[in-house]
Amino acid sequence: MDSQLSGGFLKHTLSSPMTFKPYSFQLPNGLDIIHHDVGVLEVSPENANRAIVISSGIHGDETAPIELVDDLVSEILNGAWVPQSRTLFIIAHPDAIHAHTRFIEENLNRLFADVNADRNAECQLANHLQEHVRRFFVNTKDNDEKWHFDMHSAIRDSKHYMFAVVPASTKTTDVRPLIGFLKSAQMDAMLLSRTPSSTFSWWSGENFGALAATFEMGRVAPLYQNDMSEFAPLKQALINFLCDCENVEAAIEHDLSIYKVTRTITKTDDAFSLAFSGDAANFTYFKEGEQLAEENGTLYVAQKGGEAAVFPNANVAVGQRACLLVTPFVPDESKPLFVNVGSEPGPIAIS
C-alpha cells in the first residue's frame, strides 16, 4: 500500500500535509489509485462501465458515512475485494470534522447550484468538489452509467431510520435502478423530490444525468462512536454494486416505502416558526388542516389527506428549506420513473 495511506484514508484526510500534491500508484491486483486531493481518491479498474461517486463528510458531524467510506477504501487498498467500477471516494470537509460541527460558516450542502464567490472556506470547498466530480464524469465513456451516493446522517429521530432523497432534475434519467439498490441495501424509504435543491447529489444529477441520491444514515454521533453494524447491509450492497454482483434476492425481499414531495416550505423571514416541536421525528404525520408553521401571519397547514414532515428546521438561514412535506407514493415499476423539476414523479419525462 502507498505509504501516505498506510494509516488509512480518513487519517490522511484529517492530518494531511499543507503542501499536498496529487499522485497515483497501482495495486498488485492492477487497480489504479489516484489521490487527487485531500479527501478525494479515485479507484480505477480496467474496462469499467460505471462511474460512481461515493461522498461523505459534507457535514462534519455526520460521521457514520465518513467511517463507512474509510472502511471501503481501506479494504480496497488491502486487496480484500476488487471493484469493477471507476469510483471517486470523497471525505469532504475535514475542518468541520475536526471542529465536530455541521459546518464552519455556511451549510456546504446548499452551495452546489453553481460556482460560488470565494466568500468563505465552504464556498471554496464546494467549488473544488464540483470540479473534481466534473472531471471524473467528463472522463467517462459515452455509454457508462453515472451514479452519485452522497451519504449523510440525520440530526433527529426518524420513522425511517435509513432513507434516501432522490433530487429532482431536468434530465430524463430513469431512477428505477435506485429502487433495486436501496432494497438490496435494506434502506427503509425513498423520497422523490420536485424542486431543485442545490445539494451535492442534485448537482451530479442535474449536470451529468447521474442516478443520484442523498442517503440519510441513522443519527449523528461522535467519530468512532457509531454502531457500524447498523449499516452493514448498506456496506455490503455498495461492495456488491462496485464489484458488479448485486444482491438480487435481497432487493426482491426487502420492503421499501416510497414517498413524493408535495411541498417545500422555505423560510423567507426570521419570524418563521414551526407549529410543532423542533425535535419532531422525520416523517411525523399531520392530519389534514393541522397547523405546520407560521410566518408573519401566513399559516401553513397540512393539505387534503394529510402530510408528513421531513427535515423540519426553523433555524435554517433565510431563503433555505425549512421543511419538506411528503405523502406515500406507489410507482408502476414496469414503466420508467422520472423525477423532474416541477412535475409529478412518473413515467412522463420533461421534454
Side-chain angles (χ1 to χ4, degrees):
M1 183 192 299
D2 168 70
S3 60
Q4 291 197 47
L5 293 168
S6 59
F9 183 40
L10 176 56
K11 181 177 179 181
H12 181 275
T13 300
L14 295 180
S15 58
S16 58
M18 296 293 291
T19 57
F20 175 84
K21 293 182 179 180
Y23 65 101
S24 61
F25 60 98
Q26 190 174 76
L27 296 178
N29 57 24
L31 283 177
D32 289 321
I33 308 297
I34 309 167
H35 203 169
H36 290 286
D37 204 345
V38 174
V40 181
L41 183 138
E42 180 180 341
V43 176
S44 185
E46 284 192 78
N47 302 317
N49 59 11
R50 281 179 179 155
I52 305 168
V53 176
I54 300 178
S55 54
S56 67
I58 291 291
H59 295 137
D61 60 349
E62 298 174 7
T63 57
I66 297 167
E67 293 182 44
L68 178 53
V69 164
D70 188 42
D71 285 347
L72 293 172
V73 171
S74 293
E75 290 177 7
I76 291 171
L77 295 179
N78 289 324
W81 46 276
V82 182
Q84 302 301 308
S85 303
R86 283 182 63 236
T87 309
L88 190 70
F89 291 99
I90 296 174
I91 300 175
H93 202 339
D95 287 346
I97 299 171
H98 277 299
H100 311 291
T101 188
R102 188 172 171 82
F103 53 86
I104 304 300
E105 295 184 64
E106 191 169 355
N107 186 346
L108 180 59
N109 209 31
R110 296 295 179 271
L111 295 174
F112 293 96
D114 204 343
V115 176
N116 299 281
D118 289 346
R119 61 180 175 270
N120 56 49
E122 267 102 3
C123 289
Q124 296 171 22
L125 180 55
N127 293 343
H128 287 308
L129 292 172
Q130 288 179 99
E131 186 57 30
H132 281 301
V133 172
R134 184 189 304 280
R135 290 176 181 173
F136 178 72
F137 282 141
V138 165
N139 286 329
T140 59
K141 299 186 292 293
D142 289 343
N143 294 325
D144 284 358
E145 296 180 17
K146 300 181 184 70
W147 296 69
H148 185 174
F149 302 140
D150 185 34
M151 302 191 298
H152 292 251
S153 298
I155 60 174
R156 63 184 66 247
D157 289 331
S158 180
K159 175 183 175 182
H160 301 296
Y161 192 67
M162 302 252 305
F163 64 96
V165 181
V166 181
S169 76
T170 60
K171 295 292 187 291
T172 54
T173 304
D174 184 358
V175 304
R176 283 180 299 172
L178 273 171
I179 296 177
F181 177 83
L182 296 176
K183 287 181 178 179
S184 71
Q186 298 184 29
M187 300 282 276
D188 301 310
M190 178 183 191
L191 194 162
L192 307 178
S193 303
R194 295 184 65 181
T195 57
S197 58
S198 70
T199 61
F200 201 11
S201 63
W202 170 85
W203 189 83
S204 292
E206 177 62 25
N207 288 279
F208 303 100
L211 279 161
T214 300
F215 289 179
E216 297 291 343
M217 298 169 50
R219 288 290 302 273
V220 295
L223 194 63
Y224 301 121
Q225 293 185 31
N226 296 283
D227 179 1
M228 295 305 291
S229 66
E230 296 179 334
F231 313 113
L234 172 58
K235 178 182 177 181
Q236 189 58 55
L238 287 168
I239 292 173
N240 291 342
F241 190 61
L242 296 182
C243 293
D244 201 18
C245 53
E246 293 94 328
N247 188 342
V248 177
E249 182 177 346
I252 293 173
E253 293 179 355
H254 186 73
D255 185 36
L256 180 74
S257 298
I258 301 179
Y259 296 83
K260 65 177 180 179
V261 173
T262 53
R263 293 181 291 163
T264 299
I265 298 179
T266 301
K267 178 178 178 178
T268 62
D269 190 275
D270 286 331
F272 179 89
S273 63
L274 295 169
F276 52 90
S277 172
D279 60 1
N282 282 324
F283 299 96
T284 295
Y285 174 77
F286 294 89
K287 296 179 181 178
E288 180 180 337
E290 284 192 272
Q291 185 174 335
L292 302 170
E294 188 272 336
E295 186 181 82
N296 291 324
T298 298
L299 299 181
Y300 297 89
V301 299
Q303 293 183 343
K304 184 177 180 180
E307 295 172 294
V310 183
F311 304 132
N313 188 351
N315 297 319
V316 297
V318 170
Q320 292 189 1
R321 179 193 69 202
C323 187
L324 286 180
L325 298 169
V326 304
T327 58
F329 177 70
V330 181
D332 181 350
E333 293 185 41
S334 69
K335 299 178 180 178
L337 179 58
F338 301 108
V339 183
N340 285 149
V341 170
S343 67
E344 290 279 317
I348 307 299
I350 290 176
S351 58

